[in-house]
Amino acid sequence: MARPAPTIEPVPGDPAATVDLGTERALLVADYHAGIEAGLRYERGVELPNNAAERRRRLLSLLDSTNADRLVVLGDLGHEIGEPEGVEREELAALAEAVVDDRGIEITVAPGNHDGDLDALFGDREGVRILSPSGGLLGESGAVGVVHGHTWPDPELLSASTICVGHEHPQVKLEDSVGGYRVEQAWMRGRVDPATLIDGDPPATVEPPELVVFPAFNDRSGGTWVNVAGQEFLAPFLPDAFVDADCYLLDGTRLGPYRGV
């Protein structure tokens, strides 16, 4: 039987959400991708100015405005696949100093595919907790599960009432009557089929949790156009795990079932 559901509350206008964990209030974000500009320069030859200071300012502003006690990152805190180096390492160290040391807010990371060696930077750092790549449960009641989404979630997450994931960077393509279009970041929320959410057999009595797919915090990291036919999802359990799922824009506008947007 699922535990009583805490409310995942998106922050209007921002790719972030809050949740009351009973003893503390957490701010959740996904896909921060520190150092992405250096990565894009190396991977694609794209030259962009370093936006580290503005990323950090945005996140700190959200922590302050939401009165958060904990920062939870749903994976891809960094951008490099291996050990953080150079400007990425500097950005991550500055972020931890501003969050943990200056504000006394602890950080929990559900590591993603771009967080291959965060332990090299944060393994011994007080105030930073790195979960298993298959995710973990938050709070004393464990009613919120968190995982990046690049691997199959740990079956224990099915005991949560809500599971939060990143990795997908969901976006919607919105077309007008004359063929013009724009692309906007989106949330996806819906019930899941436990049998397709994990790699294995779920407990027979499990109650289907809600799945919340977060938009990427970093607006330079691209995304999946979830309402366009032929677009492949990144997570191994999506879209099959969704029984139903609605899309919402960052401003809270409900677009309805994602395939019909």
Side-chain angles (χ1 to χ4, degrees):
M1 179 79 61
R3 298 178 173 93
T7 302
I8 306 296
E9 291 282 0
V11 179
D14 286 291
T18 59
V19 63
D20 185 352
L21 296 174
T23 59
E24 60 184 7
R25 181 176 176 81
L27 177 76
L28 290 79
V29 300
D31 299 286
Y32 189 85
H33 285 277
I36 191 173
E37 293 83 9
L40 291 175
R41 186 181 308 116
Y42 173 77
E43 297 159 7
R44 305 180 189 178
V46 175
E47 292 286 344
L48 292 173
N50 189 332
N51 204 32
E54 175 59 17
R55 268 192 297 275
R56 186 165 58 253
R57 184 204 66 77
R58 286 174 53 213
L59 185 57
L60 295 177
S61 177
L62 283 167
L63 288 167
D64 293 342
S65 65
T66 60
N67 296 314
D69 304 300
R70 177 175 299 276
L71 171 64
V72 179
V73 183
L74 305 174
D76 287 1
L77 175 59
H79 186 72
E80 285 296 323
I81 300 297
E83 180 179 346
E85 297 179 343
V87 295
E88 177 181 332
R89 189 180 187 92
E90 294 172 3
E91 181 176 351
L92 290 172
L95 179 66
E97 180 178 354
V99 174
V100 178
D101 299 337
D102 296 347
R103 284 167 172 76
I105 295 173
E106 295 189 357
I107 301 174
T108 297
V109 182
N113 49 307
H114 285 262
D115 295 321
D117 202 5
L118 275 184
D119 280 331
L121 179 60
F122 292 134
D124 298 324
R125 201 194 197 292
E126 187 175 351
V128 180
R129 178 189 178 201
I130 301 174
L131 303 176
S132 163
S134 58
L137 300 172
L138 298 181
E140 293 181 356
S141 67
V144 177
V146 293
V147 66
H148 180 57
H150 65 302
T151 62
W152 294 96
D154 190 309
E156 77 167 359
L157 268 63
L158 288 175
S159 67
S161 56
T162 305
I163 300 173
C164 300
V165 306
H167 189 51
E168 207 63 55
H169 305 199
Q171 299 178 337
V172 288
K173 181 182 179 182
L174 303 175
E175 298 187 74
D176 60 29
S177 59
V178 294
Y181 72 89
R182 72 183 193 274
V183 175
E184 293 199 22
Q185 290 181 294
W187 298 84
M188 299 180 73
R189 303 184 71 142
R191 295 180 301 119
V192 298
D193 175 7
T196 53
L197 183 65
I198 63 170
D199 187 17
D201 296 326
T205 59
V206 70
E207 182 177 328
E210 179 191 32
L211 185 68
V212 182
V213 183
F214 277 57
F217 188 84
N218 193 314
D219 56 9
R220 291 178 164 176
S221 57
T224 302
W225 293 3
V226 299
N227 64 326
V228 175
Q231 286 276 303
E232 294 186 1
F233 283 72
L234 302 175
F237 49 85
L238 290 178
D240 295 343
F242 269 128
V243 175
D244 54 49
D246 285 344
C247 271
Y248 299 81
L249 298 182
L250 296 191
D251 65 5
T253 301
R254 178 180 177 275
L255 301 177
Y258 73 97
R259 286 300 192 197
V261 174

